[in-house]
């Protein structure tokens, strides 16, 4: 049945006829009208041929990518220019995230963001440096008024770099709505930045999930896909033209990537699921606020990704997935009510309109079953999405809000002996391969009576798979609390060890002639430092941070001559390490 006939039926016949669908589907949602974006208003912010290392909606750890990563020929310090007339409204300097970033507000209601920069243009750089020394802080978040730093389209604003959370030289570029809070971002490719794209998306594997139970208790069936090329599009099929599906509810997942000319592989822009020419689910990532970008963990098979098997995106909406990327008339959960063969088509598009199609048939078969999935032991409570939940016993308490879970979680718990420096048991809470959307509270009772002076030295340690982290605690009597974004293993640790400070290029009596910087590595075994500060001749100097490395570039606080240096590093528990030495600057 063609889509035109479907349209004719619902327009003229359906109002007078009750149609029983062969499928079970979830609640319907109304599609939003298409947004109108200004074309050719913004220019490409680099003076080189456009090429991307990442697109809007690219699949990243715990977030959809919220902008474009523009390639800089594997080099740093390329000139970055303003995409349109406007004014510098904000700058940010941080050790992770954007690194050095400029925000430019434009008269058409949009703001552009430029991240991972090395340096700002001279007037702005001088202003920011004065603020850093005035506040004795390298990290900065500064707002500006329209008249302070106006810019014109094409004006030099910064040097590209590799700062913050960047893993290689590139420019991160965003387009935001100036009037909306929470980082309301739009897909920059919709603004026609003249980035060539003639390559359709690539499809790799189809997954079928058992939706009679939680997605986290699933063991999906997988089907490799085969490609055949036709004029203007690519068509993919599984080896079996008709896939047998079990009785009951099921949904699809798809491993897929977008492609572009002279670029890498990216997240897809749009994927529509049709069954017998009826639309059952639509995914389109056109805009997003930063708070919603974490919904990627509901949009992918999280187990598969965590276990290192790549990304598979759900062609359905999980019960606790409230992201605005699903605009169609269904949640993508299906159930066949007859034994006929039904035709499935998944249409995957990029912003340029390049299209790939997945086509196959499905048929109900009572002899087919999903692979058995062993749920494991130590299940203590069933936690449902869209409602608050708690679990507690005599030694631990957890509290989750109504937005914390994407699907039902069968909470596993056990207690065991913690490391020698611990002052509590080791509490295993949940499965670290089950994602959490919002921070939840873990409260642990100390197994040791501690005076208030010692409680300041206690931190809560979390081990979640390969990740280890620590936080300061909030105490209520003998209970210590902290908030976390992962399930895992938790315990209280009495931390009396000071952080390590290792000089890289300085020692007592060192002489600097050509090398005009001081470099240190500083870290704590339980996590990030609370602070790292340096002083030359008793005056604060500005170290920039890159992971555990701290670098001070000689400036007017280190003129030629003999100097004393003092470094102070403090960890989360307040333990401090002090390093002191003398050196001489003999620069000419």
């Amino acid at each position: 049945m063609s889509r035109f006939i479907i349209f004719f039926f619902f327009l003229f016949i359906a109002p007078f006829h009750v149609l029983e669908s062969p499928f079970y589907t979830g609640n319907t949602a109304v599609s939003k009208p298409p947004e109108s974006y200004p074309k050719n208003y913004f220019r490409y912010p680099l003076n080189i041929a456009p090429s991307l290392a990442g697109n809007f909606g690219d699949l990243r750890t715990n977030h959809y990518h919220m902008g474009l990563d523009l390639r800089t020929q594997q080099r740093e310090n390329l000139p970055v220019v303003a995409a349109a007339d406007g004014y510098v409204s904000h700058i940010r300097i941080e050790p992770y995230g954007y690194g050095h970033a400029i925000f430019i507000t434009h008269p058409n209601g949009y703001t552009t963001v430029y991240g991972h920069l090395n340096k700002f243009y001279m007037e702005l750089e001088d202003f920011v440096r004065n603020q850093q020394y005035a506040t004795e802080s390298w990290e900065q978040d500064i707002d500006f008024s329209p008249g302070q730093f106006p810019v014109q389209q094409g004006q030099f604003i910064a040097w590209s770099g590799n700062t913050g959370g960047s893993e290689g030289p590139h420019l991160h570029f965003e387009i935001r709505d100036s009037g909306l809070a929470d980082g309301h971002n739009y897909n920059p490719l919709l603004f026609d930045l003249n980035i060539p794209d003639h390559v359709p998306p690539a499809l790799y594997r189809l997954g079928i999930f058992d939706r009679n139970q939680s997605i986290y208790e699933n063991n999906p069936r997988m089907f490799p896909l085969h490609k055949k090329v036709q004029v203007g599009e690519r068509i993919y099929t599984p080896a079996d033209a008709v896939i047998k599906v079990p009785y009951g509810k099921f949904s699809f997942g798809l491993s897929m990537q977008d492609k572009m000319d002279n670029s890498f592989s990216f997240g897809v822009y749009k994927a529509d699921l049709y069954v017998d020419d009826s639309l059952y689910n639509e995914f389109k990532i056109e805009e997003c606020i930063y708070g919603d970008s974490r919904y990627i963990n509901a949009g992918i098979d999280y187990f598969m990704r965590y276990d290192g098997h790549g990304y598979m995106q759900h062609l359905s909406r999980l019960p606790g997935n409230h992201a605005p990327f699903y605009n169609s008339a269904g949640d993508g959960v299906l159930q066949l009510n007859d034994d006929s063969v039904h035709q499935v088509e998944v249409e995957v598009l990029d912003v340029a309109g390049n299209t790939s199609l997945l086509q196959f048939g499905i048929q109900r078969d009572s002899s087919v079953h999903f692979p058995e999935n062993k749920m494991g032991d130590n299940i203590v409570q069933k936690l449902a999405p869209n409602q608050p939940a708690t679990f507690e016993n005599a030694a631990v308490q957890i509290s989750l809000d109504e937005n914390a879970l994407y699907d039902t979680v069968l909470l596993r718990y056990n207690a065991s002996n913690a490391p020698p420096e611990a002052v509590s048991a080791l509490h295993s809470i949940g499965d670290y391969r089950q994602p959490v959307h919002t921070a939840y509270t873990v409260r642990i009772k100390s197994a040791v009576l501690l005076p208030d002076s010692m409680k300041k030295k206690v931190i809560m340690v979390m081990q979640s798979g390969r990740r280890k982290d620590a936080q300061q605690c909030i105490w209520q009597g003998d209970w210590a609390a902290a908030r976390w974004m992962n399930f895992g293993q938790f315990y209280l640790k009495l931390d009396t060890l000071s952080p390590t400070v290792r000089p890289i290029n300085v020692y007592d009596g060192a002489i600097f002639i050509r090398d005009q910087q001081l470099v240190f590595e500083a870290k704590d075994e339980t996590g990030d430092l609370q602070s790292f500060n340096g002083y030359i001749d008793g005056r604060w100097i500005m170290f920039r941070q890159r992971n555990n490395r701290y670098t001070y570039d000689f400036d007017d606080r280190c003129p030629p001559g003999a100097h004393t240096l003092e470094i102070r590093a403090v960890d989360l528990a307040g333990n401090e390490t002090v390093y002191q030495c003398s050196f001489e600057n003999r620069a000419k």
Side-chain angles (χ1 to χ4, degrees):
M1 186 184 297
S2 72
R3 292 176 199 166
F4 174 79
I5 296 175
I6 291 287
F7 172 79
F8 180 88
F9 178 88
F10 280 100
L11 183 63
F12 296 104
I13 301 176
F16 310 100
H17 178 76
V18 178
L19 177 67
E20 182 178 356
S21 170
F23 298 97
Y24 160 87
T25 63
N27 296 329
T28 61
V30 179
S31 297
K32 297 187 301 181
E35 183 75 37
S36 177
Y37 300 98
K39 307 294 184 182
N40 301 312
Y41 184 90
F42 298 108
R43 60 153 288 175
Y44 194 74
L46 295 169
N47 294 319
I48 58 175
S51 181
L52 300 189
N55 72 340
F56 188 88
D58 209 1
L59 307 180
R60 305 287 177 89
T61 301
N62 289 326
H63 70 285
Y64 291 103
H65 192 232
M66 298 284 282
L68 303 180
D69 283 345
L70 312 182
R71 297 170 72 179
T72 56
Q73 301 173 335
Q74 300 180 347
R75 296 186 293 154
E76 298 184 31
N77 296 317
L78 269 64
V80 178
V81 300
D85 293 354
Y87 70 95
V88 176
S89 55
H90 187 79
I91 67 93
R92 180 177 300 166
I93 296 177
E94 57 188 350
Y96 304 107
Y98 291 115
H100 286 55
I102 288 180
F103 297 65
I104 297 179
T105 296
H106 307 280
N108 68 342
Y110 292 97
T111 293
T112 50
V113 182
Y114 313 75
H116 307 310
L117 306 169
N118 271 349
K119 279 190 174 182
F120 308 135
Y121 69 100
M122 185 174 62
E123 293 84 359
L124 183 59
E125 183 75 20
D126 289 345
F127 181 95
V128 172
R129 182 181 178 279
N130 289 335
Q131 287 295 111
Q132 289 171 314
Y133 270 105
T135 59
E136 294 192 352
S137 174
W138 171 72
E139 295 186 51
Q140 294 289 320
D141 264 300
I142 306 174
D143 292 322
F144 300 101
S145 61
Q148 284 183 275
F149 294 100
V151 296
Q152 295 181 332
Q153 186 178 59
Q155 177 182 326
F156 168 72
I157 58 170
W159 299 105
S160 70
N162 185 32
T163 58
S166 173
E167 296 180 355
H170 72 280
L171 174 66
H172 177 81
F173 179 71
E174 298 179 6
I175 298 179
R176 297 184 175 187
D177 190 316
S178 302
L180 298 176
D182 301 323
H184 193 111
N185 289 31
Y186 296 96
N187 190 334
L189 294 177
L190 297 167
F191 293 78
D192 194 10
L193 296 175
N194 296 314
I195 302 174
D197 183 6
H198 303 90
V199 184
L203 315 182
Y204 303 108
R205 285 191 301 169
L206 171 71
I208 302 182
F209 294 81
D210 180 3
R211 298 304 292 273
N212 298 292
Q213 59 182 346
S214 170
I215 205 75
Y216 305 126
E217 308 304 329
N218 252 266
N219 195 354
R221 300 169 65 202
M222 295 294 175
F223 301 87
L225 302 178
H226 307 279
K227 175 180 64 178
K228 56 182 180 180
V229 179
Q230 294 186 0
V231 176
E233 62 186 16
R234 291 181 181 177
I235 296 179
Y236 292 79
T237 59
D240 297 327
V242 176
I243 295 176
K244 306 293 185 178
V245 297
Y247 278 48
K249 300 175 186 178
F250 62 94
S251 64
F252 297 116
L254 189 58
S255 294
M256 51 187 171
Q257 291 180 325
D258 192 16
K259 303 282 186 177
M260 293 186 73
D261 301 9
N262 304 315
S263 295
F264 301 148
S265 298
F266 311 120
V268 300
Y269 167 63
K270 194 172 188 292
D272 298 339
L273 169 65
Y274 294 91
V275 184
D276 294 335
D277 285 324
S278 293
L279 181 64
Y280 280 86
N281 188 255
E282 177 188 13
F283 169 86
K284 182 168 66 172
I285 187 158
E286 189 169 273
E287 58 184 276
C288 183
I289 64 173
Y290 264 89
D292 286 343
S293 70
R294 190 175 173 87
Y295 277 117
I296 185 177
N297 292 333
I300 63 172
D301 185 330
Y302 194 82
F303 275 26
M304 182 182 299
R305 173 58 182 167
Y306 203 99
D307 289 340
H309 300 303
Y311 287 104
M312 172 165 285
Q313 293 183 246
H314 289 300
L315 300 178
S316 64
R317 183 198 288 266
L318 299 186
N321 184 356
H322 303 296
F325 315 134
Y326 302 86
N327 304 321
S328 75
D331 64 2
V333 178
L334 309 172
Q335 180 175 339
L336 296 182
N337 292 327
D338 60 43
D339 295 330
S340 302
V341 175
H342 299 274
Q343 298 303 317
V344 178
E345 181 175 277
V346 182
E347 186 179 54
V348 183
L349 302 91
D350 60 25
V351 173
N354 301 302
T355 304
S356 290
L357 300 176
L358 169 60
Q359 296 175 338
F360 61 97
I362 53 174
Q363 185 177 30
R364 188 175 68 172
D365 189 328
S366 61
S367 67
V368 175
H369 303 281
F370 284 102
E372 182 180 356
N373 187 50
K374 296 181 179 180
M375 294 185 294
D377 301 323
N378 304 316
I379 296 174
V380 294
Q381 194 163 321
K382 183 177 181 179
L383 308 180
N386 302 314
Q387 60 187 54
T390 59
F391 165 75
E392 61 181 292
N393 59 31
V396 67
Q397 301 172 353
I398 69 168
S399 176
L400 301 95
D401 68 25
E402 66 274 13
N403 297 312
L405 303 177
Y406 304 123
D407 205 347
T408 298
V409 167
L410 301 180
L411 186 71
R412 295 161 174 83
Y413 169 81
N414 68 73
S416 57
N417 293 329
E421 69 274 13
V423 292
S424 74
L426 177 68
H427 301 277
S428 296
I429 301 172
D431 186 333
Y432 62 83
R433 297 172 301 168
Q434 295 174 342
V436 178
H437 187 70
T438 54
Y440 71 102
T441 301
V442 176
R443 300 179 71 232
I444 298 176
K445 187 174 184 179
S446 173
V448 179
L449 290 176
L450 297 170
D452 289 344
S453 59
M454 292 299 291
K455 288 179 179 178
K456 297 177 182 179
K457 296 287 186 181
V458 173
I459 57 176
M460 188 180 295
V461 179
M462 182 272 296
Q463 180 78 44
S464 180
R466 297 178 291 269
R467 181 186 175 197
K468 187 174 183 179
D469 202 356
Q471 289 191 44
Q472 292 176 297
C473 300
I474 298 175
W475 284 87
Q476 290 181 322
D478 294 330
W479 290 81
R483 291 176 63 78
W484 300 95
M485 300 286 283
N486 303 83
F487 289 130
Q489 296 178 313
F490 303 85
Y491 67 94
L492 300 180
K493 174 183 177 179
L494 182 61
D495 183 6
T496 58
L497 295 178
S498 298
T500 59
V501 174
R502 185 170 73 93
I504 302 300
N505 69 336
V506 63
Y507 51 88
D508 194 39
I511 296 174
F512 292 83
I513 301 175
R514 296 178 181 175
D515 191 3
Q516 292 289 286
Q517 60 180 203
L518 303 176
V519 183
F520 286 83
E521 283 187 355
K523 58 184 178 180
D524 188 66
E525 65 171 358
T526 55
D528 290 337
L529 296 180
Q530 186 179 112
S531 64
F532 179 97
N533 287 290
Y535 304 86
I536 288 181
D537 303 329
R539 302 174 71 196
W540 184 85
I541 56 174
M542 185 170 64
F543 277 88
R544 51 187 166 88
Q545 181 185 352
R546 172 76 174 183
N547 298 321
N548 295 323
R549 179 163 289 215
Y550 297 81
T551 304
Y552 164 66
D553 297 307
F554 287 3
D555 55 17
D556 56 7
R557 298 203 172 188
C558 185
H563 300 285
T564 60
L565 171 67
E566 181 176 274
I567 300 296
R568 292 184 174 272
V570 182
D571 66 14
L572 295 177
N575 302 302
E576 184 178 46
T577 296
V578 178
Y579 172 89
Q580 295 176 325
C581 74
S582 298
F583 71 95
E584 184 177 354
N585 180 9
R586 291 187 183 176
K588 296 181 180 179

